[in-house]
Amino acid sequence: MAQNLEEFIAYRSTLGYTGNNIRSLLRPFDRYAKDKTANWDLFQPLFFLGFREHLKGDPRWVNAILCAVRGFFQFLVRKGSVKENPMQHVPPLAERAFIPFVFSPEQTQRLLNAVQKRLRKSEKNFLKDLGIYMVLMLMARCGLRISEPLRLLYANYRPKEGTIYIEKTKFNKDRLIPLPKRAVAEIVNYLATRNTWIHGDKNPFLFAGHANKTMSDTQVYSVFHQAVNDIGLNQPRRVIADTTFGAPRPHSLRHSFAINTLKNIKQRGKSLQDALPVLATYMGHTKYRYTAVYLKVIDAEQRHGLVDFSISRQEEI
């Protein structure tokens, strides 16, 4: 079993997925199979219905685990290790509606300003802190996933064109995207600072970490949450009736970019449906329906109103 799981994780990495997330999703199945001393003959739909019942927590988390296990067995079917996928008739749990946290453009700017104010001026920390700010800035201004700016190579930035080339991220996709003028200006400033602070710079990553490596996402998460606290937006994740309202997290910057872009297009009287294919390509979505999800929450004010309304209804009940 262990060897098959590792082969599946390695296979997914060739498609552009990171291994840590799928590994954490498969771990509960690995433990459950071990506790039940399960063999291949035991892997029948009834076994997985019991596994689904065994899993506790948010239905979205349970379904993510079931999806990972289903993908693992589909991989084994393609390999010829099993004849059919025993998970194919195991339905997911009913999920609560999920509404992500949305930063308004003004809140996004306040967040970035708060990150800037936290830049430490010491030689040891300044460039690293500035690099973290640049990662968050690109997530906010271009709707990038956190892994995308962290993995950008120096050669992926094209200063003459004002573009960045994003290679083999989620779904193993590449894309070339134009940068807003203010993002280009900030990259120019960062690189000038980097050339001043680092002599004999050989780090291949656009945003330099230590020992020719990039920075870790843990560092970015830490700075993000500190800045969220600084501007008074540290709101908890809320589950109200059948709806989950997400807490602010770095990925919220990507959601907010998409939602605020669509809102801006609508205010200009343009067609949202015509804009979706362009926005989907810019954000690296494989299908337009992934981008169309953002039409459900069109701005930060609407989301805030939904939270207040849901809380008031809950109190009435």
Side-chain angles (χ1 to χ4, degrees):
M1 174 70 74
Q3 181 178 347
N4 285 299
L5 287 170
E6 290 299 328
E7 287 178 1
F8 175 58
I9 292 169
Y11 164 73
R12 282 177 56 89
S13 70
T14 66
L15 301 179
Y17 295 94
T18 57
N20 291 338
N21 184 50
I22 191 67
R23 192 181 296 276
S24 66
L25 291 174
L26 290 170
R27 194 170 290 125
F29 165 68
D30 190 40
R31 291 200 200 101
Y32 185 78
K34 184 177 180 181
D35 290 343
K36 298 294 183 181
T37 60
N39 55 35
W40 292 103
D41 293 334
L42 195 60
F43 290 148
Q44 301 297 328
L46 187 62
F47 175 87
F48 291 102
L49 288 172
F51 173 57
R52 188 188 66 179
E53 184 68 22
H54 165 79
L55 295 171
K56 306 299 180 185
D58 187 279
R60 286 171 61 89
W61 179 76
V62 173
N63 288 341
I65 293 173
L66 296 178
C67 182
V69 176
R70 187 177 296 108
F72 168 61
F73 276 94
Q74 193 58 40
F75 169 74
L76 295 181
V77 169
R78 288 195 296 270
K79 276 185 60 181
S81 300
V82 296
K83 291 184 178 180
E84 63 179 21
N85 191 335
M87 289 285 294
Q88 62 182 326
H89 299 305
V90 178
L93 296 178
E95 293 186 10
R96 302 183 186 97
F98 178 76
I99 300 179
F101 186 89
V102 181
F103 291 97
S104 69
E106 295 76 19
Q107 290 169 336
T108 298
Q109 188 57 55
R110 285 172 54 206
L111 177 80
L112 294 177
N113 291 343
V115 175
Q116 283 184 317
K117 289 179 181 178
R118 283 187 165 270
L119 296 179
R120 292 169 290 182
K121 302 303 189 291
S122 65
E123 184 174 349
K124 178 182 178 181
N125 296 307
F126 180 72
L127 192 64
K128 180 185 73 174
D129 289 359
L130 183 59
I132 292 172
Y133 165 77
M134 294 298 298
V135 168
L136 290 169
M137 184 276 296
L138 284 179
M139 292 177 69
R141 302 298 186 211
C142 304
L144 301 186
R145 304 176 181 94
I146 190 170
S147 62
E148 293 173 344
L150 286 174
R151 293 175 57 186
L152 278 175
L153 298 175
Y154 205 111
N156 293 145
Y157 170 57
R158 304 180 178 184
K160 292 183 179 180
E161 301 172 3
T163 61
I164 52 175
Y165 184 63
I166 302 173
E167 297 183 273
K168 294 181 173 57
T169 57
K170 193 174 182 181
F171 307 116
N172 205 31
K173 286 177 67 70
D174 296 349
R175 67 189 193 277
L176 179 70
I177 65 171
L179 297 170
K181 290 182 179 179
R182 55 183 169 176
V184 172
E186 298 215 55
I187 291 178
V188 170
N189 176 66
Y190 168 80
L191 293 178
T193 305
R194 173 173 164 175
N195 290 335
T196 301
W197 284 61
I198 302 179
H199 302 290
D201 185 5
K202 295 182 180 179
N203 192 318
F205 291 96
L206 184 60
F207 305 119
H210 294 296
N212 291 337
K213 295 180 180 179
T214 188
M215 293 163 294
S216 71
D217 57 1
T218 303
Q219 293 172 308
V220 179
Y221 274 94
S222 176
V223 171
F224 171 84
H225 288 296
Q226 288 170 357
V228 166
N229 280 330
D230 290 345
I231 63 175
L233 288 179
N234 188 21
Q235 302 176 16
R237 177 176 174 272
R238 299 173 185 268
V239 177
I240 304 173
D242 60 351
T243 303
T244 299
F245 295 93
R249 57 195 185 102
H251 201 70
S252 302
L253 295 172
R254 178 172 165 86
H255 292 311
S256 303
F257 167 83
I259 290 166
N260 292 327
T261 297
L262 291 172
K263 180 183 178 182
N264 189 32
I265 291 169
K266 183 179 180 181
Q267 288 176 337
R268 297 203 311 266
K270 303 295 184 180
S271 167
L272 293 179
Q273 292 301 322
D274 290 346
L276 282 176
V278 179
L279 184 59
T281 300
Y282 192 90
M283 298 186 71
H285 287 151
T286 55
K287 298 178 181 178
Y288 299 157
R289 63 184 175 89
Y290 298 144
T291 317
V293 168
Y294 295 119
L295 293 172
K296 296 180 181 179
V297 181
I298 204 63
D299 58 31
E301 291 76 16
Q302 184 194 50
R303 182 195 183 277
H304 183 72
L306 285 170
V307 175
D308 288 346
F309 174 77
S310 299
I311 292 174
S312 65
R313 289 291 296 161
Q314 187 180 51
E315 290 174 349
E316 290 174 8
I317 295 171

